[in-house]
Amino acid sequence: MVLKNILFLFLIRSLFSFDSTYINFQNFIHNSKNIVLRIQYNQESFNKKIETSGLFFLQNSGYTFDNQYQRITQNKSYTMTINKITKQVIYDNTLDNQITIFDILAGNTNSILISDSYAENQLMCTPFMINEWGIIGKLFTDKNNGSPKSIILKQDEDLKVEIIITSYDINKDSKYLYYDFDDYEKIDLRE
């Protein structure tokens, strides 16, 4: 009888539990204030390669990715893209079902199907899928603290994106997010 109860509890727990590695990652992201990740962004699409590096700022209100060419800030109500080359600022609505690679890095789970994690090369690997776009991916995290190490996305044979987190700082002052774009052209696409 005791064995039967233990098996029943194990079955219930496995049916309703979420992958502990992914929970560890989300705890790292959501319980830390003002995280700054230094990232290397690599994209291969239709035999073209794009490589850039930048900073990814994660705050309670949203996130910002900044490199030498652009700055993208997204929160629950709008997305702001600053093109540093053309000196333009574009505001747009943030859609409820919209998801970007930065949303994955921010720990958002909208439209993402998470699979069971496993150890790979001294890291934890959490496979995931975004059905709407036909994208499969892997999130690699530190075994101990859940900090992100890299994300790989693939869509058919045409697109591969990899973000490598080279380092991170926690509790960074938000003054680094200030950017003066007063003399930039502003385009507002919000309705």
Side-chain angles (χ1 to χ4, degrees):
M1 184 69 162
V2 172
L3 182 59
K4 185 177 179 182
N5 287 341
I6 292 172
L7 288 174
F8 177 74
L9 288 173
F10 177 76
L11 177 62
I12 293 295
R13 184 172 166 241
S14 48
L15 286 174
F16 293 103
S17 68
F18 201 59
D19 186 75
S20 63
T21 298
Y22 192 73
I23 290 172
N24 197 22
F25 160 70
Q26 285 195 313
N27 285 338
F28 175 85
I29 293 295
H30 296 297
N31 292 335
S32 303
K33 301 253 186 216
N34 299 331
I35 301 173
V36 178
L37 305 172
R38 286 171 192 78
I39 64 173
Q40 177 68 38
Y41 178 92
N42 304 312
Q43 178 178 320
E44 293 179 32
S45 178
F46 299 104
N47 297 323
K48 292 183 182 178
K49 291 185 180 182
I50 298 171
E51 293 183 2
T52 187
S53 60
L55 297 175
F56 181 79
F57 299 89
L58 182 60
Q59 297 181 299
N60 291 339
S61 60
Y63 61 80
T64 297
F65 171 70
D66 186 64
N67 67 17
Q68 66 189 51
Y69 307 109
Q70 67 182 349
R71 176 177 279 215
I72 301 166
T73 299
Q74 185 164 326
N75 61 36
K76 291 180 181 178
S77 58
Y78 72 90
T79 300
M80 178 179 66
T81 304
I82 300 173
N83 186 320
K84 297 176 182 179
I85 306 302
T86 62
K87 294 193 172 192
Q88 288 181 323
V89 179
I90 299 173
Y91 295 93
D92 203 352
N93 292 321
T94 299
L95 304 174
D96 289 337
N97 61 351
Q98 177 181 347
I99 187 162
T100 69
I101 192 165
F102 297 121
D103 288 307
I104 298 165
L105 193 55
N108 299 337
T109 58
N110 294 345
S111 305
I112 301 173
L113 302 172
I114 305 295
S115 296
D116 290 337
S117 299
Y118 57 89
E120 183 177 309
N121 298 329
Q122 305 299 316
L123 297 173
M124 294 305 295
C125 176
T126 304
F128 61 88
M129 181 181 298
I130 305 171
N131 275 338
E132 293 175 43
W133 300 346
I135 291 178
I136 58 170
K138 292 180 179 181
L139 168 67
F140 292 91
T141 57
D142 182 272
K143 286 181 179 183
N144 298 316
N145 68 6
S147 64
K149 298 299 180 186
S150 68
I151 297 176
I152 299 172
L153 295 176
K154 292 182 182 178
Q155 183 180 38
D156 301 323
E157 298 296 319
D158 301 329
L159 176 67
K160 179 181 179 186
V161 175
E162 181 178 26
I163 289 184
I164 300 167
I165 293 86
T166 57
S167 65
Y168 67 87
D169 292 316
I170 298 176
N171 297 325
K172 208 62 168 164
D173 189 347
S174 61
K175 71 180 180 184
Y176 294 103
L177 289 173
Y178 176 76
Y179 188 83
D180 184 9
F181 55 85
D182 287 338
D183 62 338
Y184 283 31
E185 175 188 9
K186 291 160 185 76
I187 302 167
D188 196 338
L189 302 175
R190 296 174 286 187
E191 294 180 9

